[in-house]
C-alpha cells in the first residue's frame, strides 16, 4: 500500500489523508495499520468474554500491558494479538497509570496506591505452574528472576507476574505515572508528585509547586533527572529530580493542562482551551501557538523534532509544530468518527492506541527531513 502526493486513499478500512509538505521525505510510503486485538471476542478462563474498560496502556517491542477499571492488568502479545496473562488484585481498584520498565511493571491505582510487579517468562504452558511454584520459593524482592527475567521474545512463551511491593503513595487518586532512569514519578489529585526508586521501591522525595490536581507528566529520556508536569491550575512545572526543586514554571493556558511532550529544544503543552503551546525549554519563552479542534484527545507524542502526533475522533493526526499545520491524518475505522482515541503510546516507529473495544497498532515509515 502506498500513497503518492496529496489526496485520500482507503486501505483495509483505513483512510489516509496525506497533504505532505515538500520538505518531508518518507523513506518508505508503506504505512501498516492492524487491529491487534478485539478484546470483546477473546474468551477468559471461565468461558466468558466480558472485558472491562481500559484506562491506560503501555508497550514495548513484545508486549502490551493494559490497566483496567476493575483493577485487572492484561498482558497481550504484540506479534500474535493473544492474551498472555491477567494479573488481578483483591482490591479491584481501577488502574489509572501503567508502565513497563525492564522486567518490571509499575501500576498506580484510583485509591492512591502504587504497585511494583515482576514479570517472569516461562517456555511453555505445561511448565507454567511449576515455574510459578519455583519462583515463589526462591524469589527475593530486589533480586533478578530465578527463571529467565523478561525474555526478549514472548512468541512461544507464557508469562506470569508477581507483586513485589505495594504502598499508599497518595491520599487521593493517582492521575499520572512515568518511569525512566530507574525512577518512577507519580502525580495525584492532592496537588503533589512523588519520586520512587524502582529497584527498591523507596520514595525519594515529594514535589510541591502546583495549586491543582496533577493532570500530565513526562520524564526526559535523554536527561532522566529532568521532568515536567502540568495541572488543572494551568501551569507547567519543570523539575530537577535530583534535588526535587522546580526550576521553571510556564503559564499560558486558560484552564487545565491536558498533555505534555518534549524534544531536545522544546516543551509542548496541550490544554483544555484547545491550544497547543510550543515553549523554548531552557528559557521558557513561548514560541508558537497552535489552535486544535475539540475532537483531539489528551495524548501528544513527538515523532521527530518537528512532527507531533495526537489522537482524535476516529483517527490519528500529525502536525508540523514549526508551521502549525496538520500534515497527515490516519483514519482508524471505515466510517465511524465518533470513537475518540484516548490512549496513545509510542515505541520506535510504532504507535499503539485504543479504538473502542480494540487496541490498534500503527506502524509509520521512517520520516527524515530533506536536506536542500
Amino acid at each position: 500500500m502506498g500513497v503518492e502526493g496529496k489526496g485520500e486513499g482507503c486501505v483495509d478500512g483505513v483512510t489516509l489523508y496525506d497533504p505532505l509538505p515538500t520538505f518531508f521525505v518518507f523513506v518508505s510510503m508503506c504505512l501498516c495499520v492492524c487491529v491487534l486485538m478485539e478484546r470483546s471476542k477473546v474468551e477468559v478462563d471461565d468461558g466468558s468474554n466480558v472485558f472491562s474498560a481500559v484506562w491506560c496502556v503501555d508497550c514495548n517491542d513484545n508486549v502490551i500491558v493494559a490497566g483496567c477499571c476493575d483493577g485487572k492488568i492484561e498482558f497481550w502479545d504484540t506479534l500474535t494479538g493473544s492474551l498472555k496473562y491477567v494479573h488481578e488484585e483483591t482490591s479491584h481498584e481501577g488502574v489509572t497509570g501503567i508502565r513497563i520498565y525492564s522486567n518490571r511493571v509499575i501500576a498506580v491505582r484510583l485509591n492512591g496506591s502504587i504497585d511494583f510487579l515482576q514479570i517472569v517468562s516461562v517456555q511453555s504452558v505445561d511448565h507454567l505452574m511449576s515455574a510459578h511454584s519455583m519462583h515463589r520459593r526462591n524469589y527475593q524482592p530486589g533480586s533478578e528472576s530465578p527463571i529467565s527475567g523478561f525474555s526478549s521474545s514472548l512468541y512461544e512463551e507464557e508469562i506470569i507476574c508477581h507483586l513485589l511491593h505495594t504502598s499508599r503513595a497518595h491520599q487521593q487518586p493517582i492521575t499520572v505515572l512515568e518511569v525512566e532512569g530507574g525512577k518512577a514519578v507519580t502525580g495525584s489529585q492532592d496537588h503533589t508528585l512523588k519520586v520512587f526508586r524502582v529497584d527498591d521501591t523507596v520514595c525519594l522525595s515529594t514535589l510541591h509547586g502546583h495549586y491543582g490536581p496533577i493532570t500530565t507528566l513526562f520524564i526526559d529520556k535523554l536527561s532522566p533527572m529532568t521532568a515536567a508536569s502540568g495541572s488543572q491550575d494551568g501551569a507547567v512545572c519543570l523539575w530537577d529530580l535530583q534535588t526535587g526543586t522546580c526550576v521553571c514554571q510556564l503559564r499560558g493556558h486558560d484552564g487545565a493542562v491536558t498533555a505534555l511532550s518534549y524534544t531536545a529544544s522544546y516543551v509542548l503543552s496541550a490544554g483544555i482551551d484547545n491550544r497547543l503551546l510550543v515553549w523554548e525549554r531552557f528559557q521558557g519563552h513561548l514560541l508558537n501557538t497552535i489552535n486544535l479542534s475539540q475532537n483531539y484527545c489528551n495524548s501528544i507524542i513527538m515523532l521527530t523534532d518537528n512532527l507531533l502526533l495526537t489522537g482524535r475522533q476516529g483517527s490519528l493526526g500529525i502536525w508540523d509544530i514549526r508551521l502549525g499545520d496538520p500534515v497527515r491524518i490516519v483514519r482508524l475505522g471505515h466510517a465511524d468518527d465518533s470513537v475518540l482515541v484516548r490512549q496513545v503510546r509510542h515505541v520506535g516507529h510504532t504507535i499503539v492506541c485504543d479504538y473502542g473495544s480494540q487496541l490498534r497498532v500503527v506502524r509509520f515509515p521512517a520520516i527524515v527531513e530533506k536536506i536542500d
Side-chain angles (χ1 to χ4, degrees):
M1 184 268 292
V3 179
E4 297 181 359
K6 298 184 179 181
E8 294 190 1
C10 184
V11 177
D12 296 330
V14 180
T15 304
L16 308 178
Y17 172 67
D18 195 19
L20 294 176
T22 57
F23 50 80
F24 291 111
V25 175
F26 282 74
V27 175
S28 168
M29 291 308 299
C30 177
L31 181 150
C32 174
V33 181
C34 64
V35 180
L36 179 65
M37 62 207 65
E38 180 85 42
R39 296 173 69 248
S40 60
K41 294 181 180 179
V42 180
E43 290 191 355
V44 292
D45 292 340
D46 60 4
S48 65
N49 60 2
V50 178
F51 279 80
S52 57
V54 172
W55 278 4
C56 51
V57 296
D58 196 21
C59 59
N60 60 19
D61 290 335
N62 308 295
V63 68
I64 293 174
V65 291
C68 303
C69 68
D70 62 358
K72 294 178 182 177
I73 299 175
E74 300 172 0
F75 292 77
W76 298 83
D77 192 313
T78 58
L79 296 178
T80 65
S82 60
L83 179 64
K84 305 293 290 186
Y85 182 75
V86 178
H87 179 83
E88 186 172 4
E89 293 296 320
T90 56
S91 67
H92 301 294
E93 291 287 345
V95 181
T96 56
I98 195 163
R99 290 292 179 263
I100 304 173
Y101 184 77
S102 184
N103 61 344
R104 299 284 180 91
V105 170
I106 297 92
V108 294
R109 298 181 181 271
L110 200 59
N111 64 350
S113 66
I114 181 170
D115 297 345
F116 294 86
L117 302 104
Q118 177 92 24
I119 301 175
V120 181
S121 62
V122 292
Q123 293 300 319
S124 67
V125 177
D126 295 335
H127 296 102
L128 181 60
M129 294 310 298
S130 61
H132 185 201
S133 300
M134 180 181 70
H135 185 82
R136 290 180 64 88
R137 291 195 304 269
N138 298 334
Y139 180 74
Q140 296 294 324
S143 65
E144 291 298 322
S145 165
I147 301 178
S148 60
F150 189 20
S151 171
S152 60
S153 175
L154 296 177
Y155 187 79
E156 296 179 350
E157 296 181 343
E158 297 298 322
I159 63 173
I160 53 179
C161 197
H162 299 288
L163 178 64
L164 301 178
H165 178 77
T166 184
S167 64
R168 189 73 177 270
H170 298 266
Q171 296 303 309
Q172 295 188 37
I174 298 176
T175 51
V176 291
L177 166 71
E178 289 296 341
V179 182
E180 192 63 52
K183 291 182 173 59
V185 180
T186 62
S188 169
Q189 288 187 2
D190 64 9
H191 305 186
T192 69
L193 301 101
K194 292 197 175 183
V195 183
F196 294 83
R197 191 162 51 222
V198 174
D199 286 346
D200 56 11
T201 73
V202 170
C203 182
L204 300 175
S205 60
T206 300
L207 309 182
H208 299 272
H210 286 291
Y211 297 95
I214 311 303
T215 53
T216 183
L217 170 70
F218 75 72
I219 303 175
D220 193 329
K221 293 181 181 297
L222 298 179
S223 178
M225 289 298 103
T226 301
S229 59
S231 82
Q232 285 188 13
D233 63 9
V236 175
C237 290
L238 303 184
W239 302 96
D240 181 343
L241 298 183
Q242 187 71 37
T243 62
T245 58
C246 179
V247 296
C248 184
Q249 191 172 88
L250 311 175
R251 287 192 172 273
H253 287 287
D254 297 324
V257 180
T258 58
L260 290 172
S261 190
Y262 68 97
T263 70
S265 302
Y266 309 129
V267 170
L268 298 97
S269 61
I272 200 171
D273 55 5
N274 297 317
R275 293 190 301 158
L276 176 71
L277 304 184
V278 182
W279 306 87
E280 196 278 326
R281 67 178 293 171
F282 301 106
Q283 300 297 323
H285 300 308
L286 181 61
L287 301 178
N288 197 5
T289 299
I290 300 173
N291 292 313
L292 303 175
S293 63
Q294 294 183 355
N295 62 355
Y296 279 86
C297 81
N298 297 337
S299 294
I300 57 176
I301 293 172
M302 293 302 300
L303 296 177
T304 70
D305 287 342
N306 298 298
L307 293 182
L308 175 139
L309 178 140
T310 185
R312 58 199 302 270
Q313 283 189 245
S315 60
L316 302 174
I318 301 176
W319 294 75
D320 179 354
I321 63 172
R322 295 180 302 183
L323 302 179
D325 296 329
V327 297
R328 188 168 188 147
I329 295 174
V330 181
R331 303 195 188 281
L332 300 174
H334 287 273
D336 187 4
D337 285 342
S338 65
V339 179
L340 179 62
V341 178
R342 301 179 183 277
Q343 302 289 334
V344 183
R345 295 297 294 168
H346 184 208
V347 179
H349 296 303
T350 299
I351 299 294
V352 176
C353 64
D354 67 323
Y355 185 74
S357 63
Q358 303 170 351
L359 292 178
R360 296 203 169 185
V361 173
V362 182
R363 293 186 176 91
F364 285 95
I367 301 173
V368 297
E369 292 187 33
K370 180 178 179 180
I371 300 177
D372 293 324

